[in-house]
């Protein structure tokens, strides 16, 4: 047994008084079955100041008229024996962990001879508390051990042999591959391990990768986040090394993380409690369980966590740390009571410290993560004797709260010497300090290594390129080694053969791992290398990407996530929106038809001011749309503008976005780009070039008035100018878009637009709101993807009101005079294999939104899985009627793509738009969202239609318009342009 912990308490003990149980002292002794008196004793037993909640006495022995010894069990933990020594009105307590029920066989001089629950005898010095041996009483045989044998505590004076806990450095990543041996430091560490105790691989701090949103660990000497699954080869290397020299020797390997905030890099990526729970489950599912599944039986795999408490703000608080433990434990499926047996898999060793006064932590919190949780096992840091005292006080707290004491599985030691002013305990003394303070004998001793290699800035890996129109999208994986400094940017260098071209730089904190290289020559083959840069300078270049050839077969696109303002527009003059970022220069290699599209969230801070958005080609606005602000402010319109034009090969076309107001605005301001802060909803310009008969288009700059309507019958807008005959083949899909400025002169009437094929009911339709406002156009867009039987078909734009309306109430075409804003009907023909179309006529209610988190509208009907066989630039489209039942709540729609670079696409949102409900309810916005995304051959992508509101709301937002089913269809479409 270890030395016993002795607590001295003052007591008023009077001979012959009543016992705490209300019985005479002699009755207490008799009830215990141990009515013995030392020679010269004058009473059966002393009245003892021992509460029944402290112990259950089973034996009492009077040693003099003023002293006695009482033995029993701990009332809170029956496996622990307890002795009280009463002498000269002082009370001392002696704990014998795991001894179980104690009875006194005799007291001679200053030594009490006790029998424990297993029948063994032990002698206790009543003055010093030292544990020794004693003989059975003369003439009496030692009784046989009970059927339930309680393990005996190791009474060895020396500490158990140490095992080592290893820091794992980022530099090990390239050194410790799946077959690495002596070239891997972790392999050597495993091979050199000297015994079969607990070993811990200390990987670092929890994090999640800002580019991939994958949970991981920030390894030592690193500022980046390594995925949990990428740690598997490192652990396997240690195991290979260990088994090379210990083929059958059992050991326990702990895979360690921490609750350090250093992995929150940048600080905005600090994990929430919910994310910490996911991090814990990931630690099990992506690391501990895979390692355990492939490990030989002699090695037991645990998790480990350096859980610290600190007032310095560099460690997570208890409210964030406990969910990690809960998430890990839930993933393991462990149930029942705590049992930290070294051969039990999936347990978690907490090898942190205990700072009793740390804010954000209570004794209950520390107890829980160290012992109270089913998976938790305590291996505390005992660097100073005060650490041992702190853990002893935690056990006192547990006892006072009717909780089992922590049974320590070992200690952590830095093995001295520290500094003269603050010397560290030697390893053996760390063990002894905890043993003496708590009365427990740890099973293991661990020593943290404190030296390791530096790391250099490595090269990016996995560089992939996807061609576009005179451009390419390049993506890569961050270097495994970041040189222990933040990666601030990347340089993408195009190559024609071996000749480098003008590089492109992307930067930020965190830095994106996706970049668009513009200004390339169509018809020329390029490869790309990527080089990372940190504060110490650039690192080595990556291996070259796959070759790509930009061409007119791919879309041209320009996008900006800035917010733009226009003040004091005269209502006539068009101004460039952003001539640098929202401009394209195209020189087609053949005669083509160009489909031009613009997408922007437009809104006003001043009621009565509408916003006009146009596409300018070589200095002339080709097409424009007007978004209404007559009745409402801060209510974005997800405006879309589409038109076609012929382009001649060899000619150069400069295409820009321009804007203005509908009338002189004085000092008023209009805006493009929605959201509470950067990045704002993207503003986009896209041009697709088509040859031959792959595009059919008609348009009109007239203004149209809807005849009287019953609210149910669809009629053509213009049976001549907005109707066209197309020829279908069996291998093609028609992608059809109808674009019109719709508005009303009478409040309370909404405007419906649809696409009809061969005079039938609309195959798609949208409703534009006028419930709360007049003279406020909606730049409506209705979208459909359909296959037709081979032959000729008639496609037309049709419209109606949402309810019976007098003639001339509904209007199409904006502007004070002719020419009005164009109404267009465009049909694009694509190979059916290159069109992914998801559509549903349902109506959706958003149950609740916190105003920031996206949720999938319909995980079944409005999600798509795409695995391209080639490298594809994909045009994504989302079309929905969005509206609200609560004034002041706007509706946001988005397209998410997984996997994607979450820095380039925050939250893995490829694009989003906001529709306004600030001033009006029941007024749908025929919202359309267009985005492009580069997909790499062979990678499986999940594409989904998401939504949220702009502020916290409940049951306010709707998608899908109409009085009854079928409602206006909600659609998600992907058009693949592949090389």
């Amino acid at each position: 047994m270890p030395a016993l912990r002795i607590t001295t308490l003052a007591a008023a003990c009077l001979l012959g008084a009543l016992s705490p149980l209300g019985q005479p002292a002699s009755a207490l002794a008799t009830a215990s079955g141990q009515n013995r008196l030392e020679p010269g004793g004058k009473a059966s037993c002393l009245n003892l100041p021992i509460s029944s909640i402290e112990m259950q006495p089973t034996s009492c022995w009077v040693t003099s008229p003023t002293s006695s010894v009482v033995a029993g069990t701990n009332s809170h933990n029956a496996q622990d024996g307890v002795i009280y020594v009463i002498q000269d009105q002082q009370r001392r307590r002696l704990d014998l962990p795991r001894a179980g029920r104690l009875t006194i066989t005799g007291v001679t001089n200053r030594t009490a001879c006790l029998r424990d629950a297993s029948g063994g005898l032990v002698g206790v010095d009543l003055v010093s508390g030292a544990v020794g041996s004693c003989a059975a009483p003369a003439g009496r045989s030692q009784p046989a051990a009970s059927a339930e044998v309680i393990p005996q505590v190791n009474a060895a004076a020396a500490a158990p042999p140490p095992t080592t806990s290893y820091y794992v450095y980022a530099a090990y990543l390239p050194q410790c591959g799946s077959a690495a041996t002596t070239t891997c430091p972790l392999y050597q560490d495993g091979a050199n391990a000297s015994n079969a105790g607990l070993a811990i691989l200390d990987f670092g701090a929890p994090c999640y990768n800002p580019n991939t949103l994958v949970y991981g660990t920030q390894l030592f000497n690193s500022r980046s986040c390594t995925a949990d699954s990428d740690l598997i080869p490192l652990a396997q290397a240690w195991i290979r090394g260990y088994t090379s020299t210990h083929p059958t020797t059992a050991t326990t390997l702990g895979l360690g993380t921490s609750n350090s905030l250093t992995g929150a890099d940048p600080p905005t990526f600090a994990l929430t409690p919910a994310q910490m729970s996911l991090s814990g489950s990931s630690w099990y599912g992506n690391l501990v369980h895979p390692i355990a599944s492939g490990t030989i039986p002699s090695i037991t795999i645990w998790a480990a966590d350096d859980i610290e408490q600190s007032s310095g703000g560099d460690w997570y608080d208890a409210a964030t740390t406990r969910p990690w433990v809960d998430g890990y434990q839930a993933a393991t499926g462990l149930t029942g009571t705590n049992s930290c047996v070294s051969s039990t898999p999936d347990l978690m060793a907490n090898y942190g410290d205990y700072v009793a006064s740390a804010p954000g932590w209570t004794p209950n919190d520390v107890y829980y993560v160290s012992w109270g949780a089913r998976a938790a096992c305590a291996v505390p840091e005992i660097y100073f004797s005060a650490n041992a005292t702190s853990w002893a006080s935690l056990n006192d707290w547990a006892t006072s709260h009717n909780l089992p004491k922590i049974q320590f599985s070992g200690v952590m030691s830095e093995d001295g010497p520290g500094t003269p002013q603050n010397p560290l305990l030697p390893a053996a003394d760390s063990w002894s300090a905890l043993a003496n303070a708590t009365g427990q004998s740890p099973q293991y001793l661990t020593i943290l290594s404190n030296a390791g290699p530096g790391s250099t800035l490595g090269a990016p890996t996995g560089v992939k390129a996807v061609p576009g129109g005179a451009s390419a999208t390049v993506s890569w994986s961050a270097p495994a080694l970041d040189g222990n400094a933040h990666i601030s940017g990347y340089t993408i260098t195009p190559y024609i053969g071996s000749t480098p071209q003008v590089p492109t730089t992307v930067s930020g904190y965190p830095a994106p791992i996706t970049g668009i290289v513009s200004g390339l020559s169509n018809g020329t083959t390029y490869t790309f290398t990527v080089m990372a840069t940190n504060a110490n300078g650039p690192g080595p270049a990556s291996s070259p990407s796959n070759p790509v050839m930009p061409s007119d077969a791919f879309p041209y696109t320009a996008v900006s996530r800035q917010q733009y303002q226009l003040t004091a527009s005269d209502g006539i003059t068009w101004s460039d929106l952003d001539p640098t970022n929202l401009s394209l220069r195209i020189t087609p290699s053949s005669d083509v038809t160009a489909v031009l599209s613009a997408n922007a969230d437009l809104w006003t801070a001043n009621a009565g001011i509408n916003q006009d958005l146009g596409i300018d080609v070589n200095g002339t606005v080709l097409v424009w749309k007007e978004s209404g602000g007559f009745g409402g402010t801060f209510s974005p319109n997800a405006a879309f503008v589409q038109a076609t034009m012929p382009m001649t090969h060899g000619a150069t076309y400069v295409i820009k976005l321009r804007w203005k107001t509908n009338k002189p605005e004085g000092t008023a301001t209009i805006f493009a780009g929605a959201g509470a802060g950067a990045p704002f909803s993207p503003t986009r310009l896209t041009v697709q070039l088509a040859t031959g008969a792959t595009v059919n288009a008609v348009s009109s700059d007239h203004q149209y008035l809807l005849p009287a309507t019953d609210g149910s019958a669809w009629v053509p807008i213009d049976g001549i100018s907005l109707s066209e005959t197309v020829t279908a083949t069996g291998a093609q899909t028609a992608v059809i878009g109808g674009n019109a400025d719709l508005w009303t002169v009478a409040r309370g009437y909404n405007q419906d637009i649809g696409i009809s094929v061969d005079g039938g009911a609309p195959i798609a339709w949208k409703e534009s709101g006028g419930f709360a406002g007049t003279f406020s156009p909606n730049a409506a867009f209705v979208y459909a993807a359909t296959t037709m039987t081979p032959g000729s078909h008639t496609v037309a734009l049709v419209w109606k009101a949402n309810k019976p309306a007098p003639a001339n109430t509904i209007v199409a075409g904006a502007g004070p005079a002719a020419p009005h804003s164009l109404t267009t009907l465009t049909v694009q023909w694509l190979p059916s294999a290159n069109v992914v179309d998801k559509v549903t006529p349902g109506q959706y209610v958003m149950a609740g939104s916190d105003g920031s988190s996206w949720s999938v509208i319909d995980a079944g009907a409005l999600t798509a899985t795409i695995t391209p066989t080639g490298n594809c630039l994909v045009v994504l489209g989302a079309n929905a009627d969005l509206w609200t039942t609560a004034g002041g709540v706007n509706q946001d729609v988005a397209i998410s793509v997984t996997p994607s670079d979450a820095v380039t696409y925050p939250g893995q949102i490829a694009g989003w738009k906001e529709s306004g409900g600030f001033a009006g309810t029941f007024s749908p916005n025929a919202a359309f969202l267009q985005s492009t995304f580069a997909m790499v051959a062979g990678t499986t992508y999940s594409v989904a239609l998401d939504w949220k509101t702009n502020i916290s709301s409940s049951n306010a937002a709707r998608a899908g318009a109409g009085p009854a089913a079928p409602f206006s269809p909600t659609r998600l479409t992907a058009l693949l342009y592949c090389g």
Side-chain angles (χ1 to χ4, degrees):
M1 274 186 185
L4 300 176
R5 179 161 59 91
I6 302 175
T7 304
T8 301
L9 299 173
C13 181
L14 300 176
L15 183 63
L18 290 177
S19 76
L21 302 179
Q23 298 174 295
S26 57
L28 177 62
T30 302
S32 72
Q34 302 291 334
N35 188 10
R36 299 185 179 92
L37 294 178
E38 279 287 293
K42 296 187 182 287
S44 299
C45 192
L46 291 177
N47 173 40
L48 302 174
I50 304 169
S51 163
S52 62
I53 67 171
E54 296 179 66
M55 68 177 296
Q56 293 296 328
T58 61
S59 180
C60 179
W61 202 286
V62 176
T63 60
S64 78
T66 60
S67 63
S68 65
V69 178
V70 178
T73 58
N74 187 330
S75 293
H76 308 302
N77 192 352
Q79 70 175 349
D80 292 343
V82 179
I83 307 168
Y84 278 96
V85 179
I86 309 299
Q87 189 170 21
D88 298 329
Q89 306 211 10
Q90 298 291 315
R91 183 179 72 171
R92 292 176 296 153
R93 172 173 170 165
L94 311 178
D95 291 321
L96 276 73
R98 304 186 186 179
R101 180 173 177 266
L102 294 174
T103 57
I104 305 172
T105 64
V107 178
T108 304
N109 297 324
R110 54 187 277 178
T111 301
C113 191
L114 308 171
R115 178 175 287 116
D116 62 25
S118 67
L121 295 176
V122 62
V124 178
D125 189 309
L126 299 177
V127 176
S128 67
V131 176
S133 60
C134 67
R140 298 178 63 90
S141 61
Q142 182 171 320
S146 64
E148 182 182 4
V149 178
I150 306 236
Q152 293 300 292
V153 179
N154 179 8
T163 61
T164 304
S165 178
Y166 312 89
Y167 286 128
V168 180
Y169 295 89
Y172 295 166
L173 287 168
Q175 297 172 299
C176 299
S178 59
T181 56
T182 56
T183 59
C184 169
L186 288 174
Y187 178 93
Q188 297 179 42
D189 289 337
N192 294 330
S194 59
N195 75 332
L198 171 67
I200 292 177
L201 300 183
D202 190 348
F203 290 103
C207 59
Y208 75 112
N209 189 312
N211 295 107
T212 64
L213 303 186
V214 170
Y215 292 97
T217 289
Q218 184 190 67
L219 296 170
F220 290 97
N221 282 8
S222 172
R223 289 294 180 269
S224 58
C225 190
T226 301
D228 292 339
S229 57
D230 291 343
L231 305 177
I232 291 176
L234 303 180
Q236 289 174 333
W238 189 94
I239 293 170
R240 284 198 306 276
Y242 182 83
T243 55
S244 71
T245 55
H246 306 76
T248 60
T249 304
T251 193
T252 303
L253 177 63
L255 306 178
T257 181
S258 71
N259 70 326
S260 172
L261 266 165
T262 58
D265 189 16
T268 52
F269 285 90
L271 303 182
T272 65
Q275 290 170 330
M276 281 288 273
S277 178
L278 292 174
S279 176
S281 61
S282 172
W283 194 254
Y284 176 77
N286 295 326
L287 179 62
V288 174
H289 183 64
I291 290 292
S293 299
T295 300
I296 64 173
S298 61
I299 300 179
T300 302
I301 302 300
W302 284 12
D305 201 338
D306 180 13
I307 298 177
E308 307 277 0
Q309 305 90 50
S310 171
S311 60
D314 49 355
W315 302 87
Y316 286 105
D317 60 11
T320 313
T321 302
R322 288 182 60 149
W324 191 99
V325 176
D326 291 335
Y328 176 83
Q329 180 168 287
T332 66
L334 288 168
T335 58
T337 57
N338 192 301
S339 178
C340 290
V341 178
S342 60
S343 60
T344 301
D346 299 339
L347 298 174
M348 182 214 74
N350 171 19
Y351 58 105
D353 62 6
Y354 173 38
V355 180
S357 59
W361 286 88
T362 66
N364 181 60
D365 294 324
V366 182
Y367 180 89
Y368 181 79
V369 301
S370 304
W371 183 252
R374 169 63 181 89
C377 302
V379 186
E381 296 170 357
I382 308 297
Y383 301 159
F384 310 98
S385 58
N387 297 133
T389 303
S390 294
W391 285 99
S393 70
L394 185 61
N395 263 353
D396 288 341
W397 173 89
T399 298
S400 69
H401 286 75
N402 297 326
L403 295 171
K405 290 182 178 180
I406 299 172
Q407 301 293 317
F408 296 95
S409 297
V411 298
M412 282 289 207
S413 172
E414 290 192 344
D415 200 20
T419 65
Q421 295 78 19
N422 202 17
L424 295 167
L425 290 172
D429 290 349
S430 291
W431 172 81
S432 298
L434 183 64
N436 291 336
T438 64
Q440 297 183 38
S441 178
Q443 301 173 35
Y444 319 112
L445 176 67
T446 56
I447 305 172
L448 273 174
S449 60
N450 56 15
S455 60
T456 58
L457 178 56
T461 59
V463 181
K464 304 291 184 183
V466 175
S471 65
T473 301
V474 183
S475 59
W476 57 91
S477 294
L481 302 181
D482 58 12
N484 199 23
H486 304 299
I487 293 175
S488 56
Y490 295 91
T491 299
I492 310 168
T493 303
Y495 282 81
I496 301 176
S498 59
T499 304
Q501 308 297 303
V502 177
T504 296
T505 299
V506 295
S507 60
Y509 178 45
I513 54 172
T514 304
I516 297 177
V517 181
S518 301
L520 303 180
S521 298
N522 287 334
T524 300
T525 299
Y526 294 87
T527 58
F528 303 86
T529 64
V530 182
M531 181 174 61
T533 300
N534 65 12
N536 300 317
S542 68
S543 299
S545 72
N546 56 292
V548 297
M549 181 185 291
S551 74
D552 287 342
F554 297 94
Y556 292 77
T557 187
V559 64
S560 171
R561 291 176 172 81
Q562 301 178 44
Q563 187 178 76
Y564 300 94
Q565 301 181 23
L566 178 64
T567 302
S569 171
D570 62 8
I572 299 173
T573 305
W574 291 93
S575 301
D576 288 342
L577 189 57
D578 184 338
T580 300
N581 297 305
L582 293 171
S583 176
L584 295 170
R585 187 180 184 89
I586 300 176
T587 305
S589 58
S590 61
D591 292 345
V592 295
T593 298
V595 180
L596 304 96
S597 304
N599 199 194
D601 266 327
L602 300 176
W603 55 283
T604 179
N606 304 91
I609 304 295
N610 295 347
Q611 314 96 49
D612 300 345
L613 178 69
I615 301 175
D616 181 287
V617 180
N618 291 344
T620 300
V621 173
L622 173 71
V623 60
W624 60 279
K625 283 287 173 290
E626 183 169 326
S627 294
F630 191 85
T633 58
F634 304 98
S635 297
N637 186 315
F640 192 75
V641 182
Q642 187 177 79
T644 62
M645 67 170 290
M647 288 187 177
T648 304
H649 76 281
T652 297
Y653 300 85
V654 178
I655 305 167
K656 298 185 293 185
L657 286 186
R658 311 193 83 186
W659 65 335
K660 67 177 184 68
T661 55
N662 66 320
K663 60 183 180 181
E665 63 177 343
T667 59
T669 301
I670 61 172
F671 299 83
F680 297 95
S681 59
T683 301
R684 183 176 294 275
L685 173 64
T686 302
V687 178
Q688 298 157 273
L689 304 185
T691 58
T694 56
V695 174
N696 303 104
V698 291
S699 63
S700 171
D701 61 7
H702 293 175
Q703 189 174 76
Y704 297 94
L705 301 175
L706 179 67
T709 176
D710 64 1
S712 62
W714 294 91
V715 297
I717 296 179
D718 184 331
I720 298 175
S721 298
L722 295 175
S723 176
E724 57 183 326
T725 300
V726 300
T727 301
T729 69
Q732 291 183 315
T733 294
V735 179
I736 310 172
N739 198 195
D741 267 329
L742 299 176
W743 52 283
T744 180
V745 298
R747 184 174 179 175
Y749 294 95
N750 296 347
Q751 316 96 49
D752 300 345
I753 185 173
I755 298 170
S756 173
V757 177
D758 295 331
I763 61 172
W765 63 280
K766 284 289 166 287
E767 182 170 328
S768 294
F771 189 85
T774 58
F775 303 99
S776 295
N778 184 316
F781 189 73
V782 59
Y783 194 55
T786 185
T787 57
M788 304 180 193
T789 58
S792 296
H793 297 273
T794 300
V795 181
L797 281 183
V798 294
W799 65 337
K800 67 178 186 67
N802 68 321
K803 61 183 181 181
N808 304 331
T809 300
I810 306 299
V811 185
H820 299 279
S821 61
L822 278 181
T823 301
T824 64
L825 175 63
T826 304
V827 181
Q828 297 175 259
W829 296 94
L830 279 80
S832 295
N834 289 32
V835 178
V836 178
D837 183 49
K838 297 289 184 177
V839 62
T840 173
Q843 187 177 77
Y844 297 93
V845 179
M846 190 185 302
S849 174
D850 60 8
S852 61
S853 301
W854 295 96
S855 60
V856 177
I857 295 179
D858 186 329
L862 294 172
T863 62
T865 299
I866 302 173
T867 307
T869 56
N871 293 318
C872 304
L873 189 58
V874 182
V875 178
L876 301 169
N879 199 194
D881 268 327
L882 300 176
W883 53 284
T884 180
T885 60
V889 178
N890 296 347
Q891 316 93 48
D892 302 344
V893 65
I895 299 173
S896 63
V897 181
T898 307
S900 62
D901 173 11
V903 172
T904 301
Y905 305 103
Q908 299 184 307
I909 299 297
W912 66 281
K913 285 288 172 284
E914 182 170 330
S915 295
F918 190 86
T921 57
F922 304 96
S923 297
N925 184 318
F928 186 76
L929 162 64
Q930 186 181 75
S931 186
T932 62
F933 188 88
M935 294 188 177
V936 176
T939 301
T940 297
Y941 297 88
S942 176
V943 182
L945 198 57
D946 297 359
W947 64 342
K948 68 179 185 68
T949 52
N950 67 320
I951 58 176
S952 180
S953 66
S954 178
N955 297 316
R958 303 287 192 275
F967 299 95
S968 62
T970 302
R971 173 172 258 111
L972 171 65
T973 303
L975 312 180
L976 280 65
Y977 297 85
C978 304

